[in-house]
């Protein structure tokens, strides 16, 4: 269903330092002609890289197989990685932010650690816009057994308020949490942990506006 493409791997492929590649991804540096040629060999359109306009891929370059990590196959995939294309997959950023499933964790940065490739048709089935989702990591045990420490979360960032009962990433006093939220008839919001060792908290209607919803958790990856 998804595949890992790390920044260090991309830097290795194009022949530059990981720091240099990170600067290009952030838009702080312009790729050199040599780097553009390397990316073109992988099937990426230099115009798209420089301007964001047009199609991401030129062709399905066979050399793009170098991007894959052989020990991490696609779930349910029927084709090798060289068939990877913008048509089939969307690259979703995994950001350097942890959402606490415990006592709260202040975000330190939102730099991209790596990209995970998700099938676009699967994202559509979930009603997700690939440009409005991100991958975060959970920290803590308050949402166990549903979400454990270190679990990977796919978050729909289009959701900015509690629309119905579900698990959300929220910010309170500059701390990020991943909690189950639901609203009461009086407009108050209940913050619930799946781990019974953590008590519920209620934000009354007049204080509910202090809850900043970052997004809704729509998929969880766990290590068994």
């Amino acid at each position: 269903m998804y595949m890992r493409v790390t920044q260090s791997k991309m830097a290795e492929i194009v022949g530059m330092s990981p720091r240099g590649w990170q600067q290009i991804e952030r838009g702080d540096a312009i790729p050199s002609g040599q780097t553009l040629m390397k990316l073109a060999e992988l099937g990426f359109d230099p115009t798209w890289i420089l301007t964001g306009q047009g199609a991401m891929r030129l062709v399905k370059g066979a050399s793009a197989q170098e991007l894959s990590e052989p020990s991490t196959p696609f779930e349910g995939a029927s084709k090798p990685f060289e068939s990877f294309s913008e048509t089939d997959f969307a690259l979703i950023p995994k950001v350097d932010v942890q959402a606490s499933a415990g006592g709260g964790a202040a975000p330190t940065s939102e730099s991209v650690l790596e990209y995970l490739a998700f099938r676009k048709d699967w994202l559509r089935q979930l009603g997700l816009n690939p440009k409005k989702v991100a991958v975060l990591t959970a920290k803590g045990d308050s949402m166990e057994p549903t979400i454990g420490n270190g679990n990977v979360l796919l978050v729909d960032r289009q959701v900015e308020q509690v629309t119905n009962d579900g698990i959300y990433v929220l910010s309170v006093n500059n701390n990020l949490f991943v909690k189950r939220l639901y609203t009461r008839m009086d407009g108050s919001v209940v913050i619930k942990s799946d781990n019974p060792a953590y008590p519920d908290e209620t934000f009354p209607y007049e204080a509910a506006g202090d809850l900043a919803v970052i997004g809704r958790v729509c998929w969880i990856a766990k290590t068994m």
Side-chain angles (χ1 to χ4, degrees):
M1 189 175 299
Y2 73 95
M3 176 195 56
R4 193 178 299 272
V5 183
T6 65
Q7 288 184 323
S8 59
K9 183 65 175 178
M10 282 298 302
E12 177 186 343
I13 291 169
V14 300
M16 64 189 309
S17 69
R19 180 179 178 85
W21 179 255
Q22 290 170 6
Q23 289 176 333
I24 290 175
E25 285 195 348
R26 292 197 303 265
D28 295 336
I30 298 175
S32 66
Q34 183 178 2
T35 300
L36 288 173
M37 289 177 63
K38 287 277 189 180
L39 292 169
E41 290 174 2
L42 295 173
F44 293 98
D45 187 341
T47 300
W48 177 84
I49 294 169
L50 292 172
T51 68
Q53 303 297 314
M56 179 177 73
R57 304 286 293 184
L58 287 170
V59 293
K60 297 177 181 179
S63 59
Q65 186 174 2
E66 296 177 66
L67 288 172
S68 66
E69 294 180 2
S71 61
T72 312
F74 291 120
E75 181 180 334
S78 58
K79 301 178 182 179
F81 181 69
E82 55 262 31
S83 65
F84 173 81
S85 72
E86 183 188 19
T87 303
D88 300 322
F89 292 89
L91 293 177
I92 305 302
K94 181 180 180 183
V95 295
D96 189 16
V97 171
Q98 291 185 325
S100 176
T108 56
S109 70
E110 286 200 15
S111 60
V112 177
L113 295 174
E114 58 188 1
Y115 289 90
L116 303 182
F118 288 81
R119 291 193 63 90
K120 286 185 175 180
D121 55 0
W122 181 76
L123 293 172
R124 284 194 295 268
Q125 289 175 12
L126 296 181
L128 300 176
N129 178 350
K131 296 182 179 180
K132 298 293 184 179
V133 292
V135 175
L136 309 179
T137 303
K139 181 180 179 181
D141 64 352
S142 72
M143 287 299 290
E144 289 185 347
T146 309
I147 298 174
N149 184 52
N151 284 173
V152 174
L153 312 176
L154 183 65
V155 179
D156 182 4
R157 300 194 68 171
Q158 292 185 109
V159 179
E160 297 180 344
Q161 59 183 358
V162 183
T163 54
N164 47 41
D165 297 353
I167 298 176
Y168 296 81
V169 177
L170 63 150
S171 175
V172 182
N173 296 325
N174 202 36
N175 289 311
L176 286 184
F177 298 86
V178 53
K179 297 288 184 179
R180 192 177 298 277
L181 304 180
Y182 63 91
T183 57
R184 289 177 169 167
M185 293 183 66
D186 61 4
S188 61
V189 177
V190 177
I191 303 175
K192 182 176 180 61
S193 299
D194 286 6
N195 186 339
Y198 291 80
D200 294 352
E201 296 185 46
T202 301
F203 269 65
Y205 174 76
E206 57 272 16
D210 294 335
L211 294 176
V213 175
I214 305 302
R216 183 173 182 179
V217 177
C218 49
W219 180 80
I220 306 166
K222 301 181 179 183
T223 301
M224 303 300 292

